Amino acid sequence: MERRHFLGNITTAGIFAGSIPFFASCASGKTNENSSYDREKIQKAIYAMLSTQRRSWEQGVAAQALLELGEFELVYLLAEEAVLRQDKLGRLANVASDEAVTDPASNGEPVMKMAVMYSNESFREASTKMLDYLLHKAPRTSDGIIHHITYAPQLWIDSMYMCPPFLAEAGEYDEALRQVEGLRKYLWDDRKKLFSHIWDEKKKTFERKAFWGVGNGWALAGMTRVAHALPESRMKDKEQLHGYIRECIDGCLTYLREDGLFHNIVDEPESFVETNLSQMAAYTIFRGLERGWLPASYLEAAVKMRKAAQGKMDSFGMVRGVCGSPEFDHPGAATEGQAFYILMEAAWNDLKKKKPELSQRI
């Protein structure tokens, strides 16, 4: 049986090998002027992110950003809050809402990994309950794809980031891939090479067919995390996911503006200009380059998008012009905009360390 025993075979060394907190890794002072500038901006981005009010997925993506940056003490504190607000069904960080199905699962990986790193039994139990909710309690379509919300049988592309990565990290590889394939079945447009936002299973039609930029960013980043979590024995599945990701990157880049940003609805130039998809796509490309499944030809676009996003940070560290909370219908600021700035920078930092010859080409 290939499935990993949940948590049982995970070791601190295995999860965090080579991971050093970002600021600690730069503490020697032996950095160039640009890296010092980046460090200051990342620190400001963290402060701004932690100042935001957060719902379940916002808590989860914030924790994931800090996890990939290597700031484990901050991850622990966010995980502790997610566990404190776990409901009776097992949904983590479920604050003042009974509507979320997949969003709480975005906290699953940080909670699970902090359980191992700090030998915290309550975290272990909480991550197990979150997994049990997804596997046995969450509402699904007739073909087994988990709904995004409780009050309607709808599939949202947001779920690609919230749910399958945790399933894969927990060793539920087949279920993670089932969810990826299901979301792709309902939401992928093969002509546009983009994901639509919302499918309503009861109505058998799209609730929102629009190719939402941030939604495609959720898909890119989510599939990237699933592919990374799969073991080498699932190389065929990894390669298939890499192909899906590359198709979506190509679909997005078709609409990349000269300034390195996208429109909120990527193929609708009348929609507002938006910052976060650039961060999400750059993050995905940097991870693909670092891990060797994307060719170097993608670097130029990623660097262009990163530069555009950096230019949107204000003096307080808030990334402006992202699809803005709380309604996500206007350019503004959002926890996920902060988180993906941090994720983008963490991925860029890892790429520079692993493949300095690539970063030196720009």
Side-chain angles (χ1 to χ4, degrees), residues 47-314:
Y47 292 156
M49 180 177 73
L50 295 178
S51 76
T52 61
Q53 293 187 352
R54 296 183 295 278
R55 287 172 284 182
S56 59
W57 84 90
E58 294 165 320
Q59 186 80 353
V61 71
Q64 185 67 32
L66 295 168
L67 182 66
E68 295 192 29
L69 193 66
E71 292 298 318
F72 302 132
E73 290 186 0
L74 289 176
V75 179
Y76 182 93
L77 293 171
L78 290 176
E80 186 173 54
E81 284 296 299
V83 172
L84 179 65
R85 288 164 173 78
Q86 186 171 42
D87 67 14
K88 292 180 180 179
L89 291 174
R91 295 176 295 183
L92 291 162
N94 199 27
V95 180
S97 172
D98 196 43
E99 299 175 353
V101 176
T102 62
D103 284 345
S106 62
N107 296 273
E109 181 180 346
V111 171
M112 181 179 70
K113 289 188 172 177
M114 292 303 98
V116 175
M117 191 172 197
Y118 290 94
S119 302
N120 189 308
E121 180 63 18
S122 67
F123 284 17
R124 187 197 68 78
E125 291 176 357
S127 59
T128 301
K129 289 177 182 177
M130 182 73 250
L131 181 64
D132 181 70
Y133 173 76
L134 294 177
L135 294 177
H136 304 298
K137 301 173 185 174
R140 297 172 179 249
T141 62
S142 59
D143 55 347
I145 310 308
I146 298 173
H147 297 175
H148 186 71
I149 50 178
T150 59
Y151 58 84
Q154 293 180 353
L155 304 177
W156 296 24
I157 194 56
D158 313 45
S159 291
M160 191 76 87
Y161 186 88
M162 311 304 164
C163 177
F166 174 50
L167 290 170
E169 287 288 347
E172 295 287 347
Y173 306 129
D174 290 338
E175 185 62 23
L177 292 167
R178 178 189 192 186
Q179 296 304 314
V180 170
E181 293 289 351
L183 290 167
R184 196 171 186 275
K185 168 187 169 182
Y186 286 101
L187 297 170
W188 177 250
D189 187 299
D190 198 50
R191 183 177 65 87
K192 286 280 191 175
K193 307 299 181 187
L194 293 167
F195 286 97
S196 290
H197 189 195
I198 302 171
W199 171 264
D200 191 294
E201 178 67 356
K202 184 177 181 180
K203 298 175 183 176
K204 301 296 182 184
T205 190
F206 288 103
E207 184 71 16
R208 190 188 189 202
K209 186 173 174 56
F211 303 115
W212 181 39
V214 171
N216 280 272
W218 286 129
L220 288 172
M223 290 188 291
T224 297
R225 289 175 56 204
V226 173
H228 187 59
L230 294 177
E232 293 303 308
S233 60
R234 306 293 293 256
M235 184 55 67
K236 184 177 179 181
D237 294 319
K238 281 178 175 280
E239 290 174 351
Q240 186 166 46
L241 286 173
H242 295 158
Y244 291 166
I245 297 164
R246 189 167 176 178
E247 276 191 296
C248 190
I249 291 172
D250 291 343
C252 290
L253 291 181
T254 299
Y255 299 97
L256 182 64
R257 292 161 45 97
E258 284 299 316
D259 60 3
L261 300 174
F262 294 90
H263 289 278
N264 183 53
I265 308 302
V266 292
D267 65 338
E268 294 183 9
E270 64 273 19
S271 65
F272 62 83
V273 179
E274 196 276 327
T275 306
N276 205 18
L277 175 54
S278 292
Q279 299 183 140
M280 299 165 114
Y283 161 82
T284 301
I285 292 172
F286 292 149
R287 287 297 186 212
L289 292 169
E290 175 214 346
R291 294 164 183 167
W293 51 264
L294 277 180
S297 57
Y298 284 89
L299 179 62
E300 183 178 356
V303 170
K304 182 177 183 178
M305 291 185 285
R306 176 176 179 255
K307 183 177 180 181
Q310 286 182 316
K312 290 293 185 175
M313 180 181 284
D314 67 16

Side-chain angles (χ1 to χ4, degrees), residues 45 49 58 61-62 65 279 334-344:
M49 180 177 73
E58 294 165 320
V61 71
Q279 299 183 140
T335 302
E336 59 214 51
Q338 299 304 116
F340 269 97
Y341 184 92
I342 296 163
L343 284 162
M344 175 183 70

